[in-house]
Every structure is written in structure tokens, then in C-alpha cells.
Amino acid sequence: MRIHIGTDHAGLDFSRTITEHLTAAGHEVVDHGPASYDPLDDYPSFCINAAHGVVQDQQAGVEALGVVFGGSGNGEQIAANKVTGVRAALVWNEATAKLAREHNDANVISIGARQHTVEEAIALIDWFVAEPFSFEERHVRRIAQLAEYEATGFIAGRSVDA
């Protein structure tokens, strides 16, 4: 599987260790930056580029997921979710990592590098990558509604105040 990663200065050390771990596990890792430590860097472009990579790969039939990091993971999740076709989830334990895939078919996760050890982050990523989407009808329906709203600003048969 191809895994796209993006971070900021707070997650830079994590990204290096996680890249080594994922590569050793047989994954192809695409690092969208940063390449060096800059305490004033801005995470949006790194995370958006990682998210774009996931969507482009998935549209091309390549099995791909993404991981974004930052101090809390919140801003990085928000940035990734600005990319059409991304469903990014902030994860902090085994249940949230697995449910992001199983119920939400999340294609990107976000992790707070200041909230977890690198070992915890690796476990979160491994749980996320290993968990398949359930394809249960209710989850498929809900994801379709999100995609419809993302594309049109409406959900057919539903009230959405716009």
C-alpha cells in the first residue's frame, strides 16, 4: 500500500521513524514534508499535499491512505479535510483508529505528535492501515451523503440548512 504522510515541525521526528516502520512493513511511503526542521513552518500545504496524493492515487486505482501529524493533530485534520474526496479522522486510541476505517472509510488519519509517543503513533497507524471498511449499508449510505454534500451542497431527501 502507498501511504502519504505530511506534518509540520512538531511531527518531523515522528515522520522519520514512522517512514522507516512503514517501509519495513512493505509499504511505499510518500513524504510530503517538511524536509527539515523549521519551528515557524506552516502545516496546511504539507497536509493538503498528502491528502491530494491519497485522492489521486485512489482515483487511479492505487491502494493508498494518508497520515498527517502536528502538535495536536487538529489543524492537520482540518487541512486534509479541505481536499475533495478526503475523509480525515483524528485518532487517539485503538477504537478511534479502527472505527475511522471500519465505519467511516477514512482515507487519512491525523495524530497529535505532542499527545502520543512515537510507539503509540505507530500502533495507531498500524491499526488504521490493517482495518478494512465494513461496507455495511448504513455506513455506505452515510458516506454517500457526505460525498453528495461535498459535491453539491445538498443531500437529496434531507434537510440541510445552507
Side-chain angles (χ1 to χ4, degrees), residues 2 6 31 49 54 90-91 123 128 132 138 152 154:
R2 187 174 295 155
D31 188 345
N49 288 338
V54 170
L90 178 66
V91 301
F128 173 73
R138 65 188 170 123
T152 68
F154 299 98

Side-chain angles (χ1 to χ4, degrees), residues 73-93:
N74 286 310
E76 294 74 21
Q77 176 199 25
I78 292 167
N81 275 320
K82 297 298 180 186
V83 175
T84 301
V86 167
R87 289 176 306 283
L90 178 66
V91 301
W92 60 91
N93 62 21

Side-chain angles (χ1 to χ4, degrees), residues 1 4 13 17 22 25-26 41 44 50-51 59 62 66 76 89 93 100 109 111 121-122 126 129 141 145 147 157 161:
M1 176 178 307
H4 295 266
D13 288 337
T17 302
L22 291 170
D41 66 9
Q59 289 174 342
V62 176
E76 294 74 21
N93 62 21
I109 57 169
I111 300 171
I122 287 170
D126 287 347
V129 169
R141 181 182 66 245
Q145 289 175 8
D161 297 332

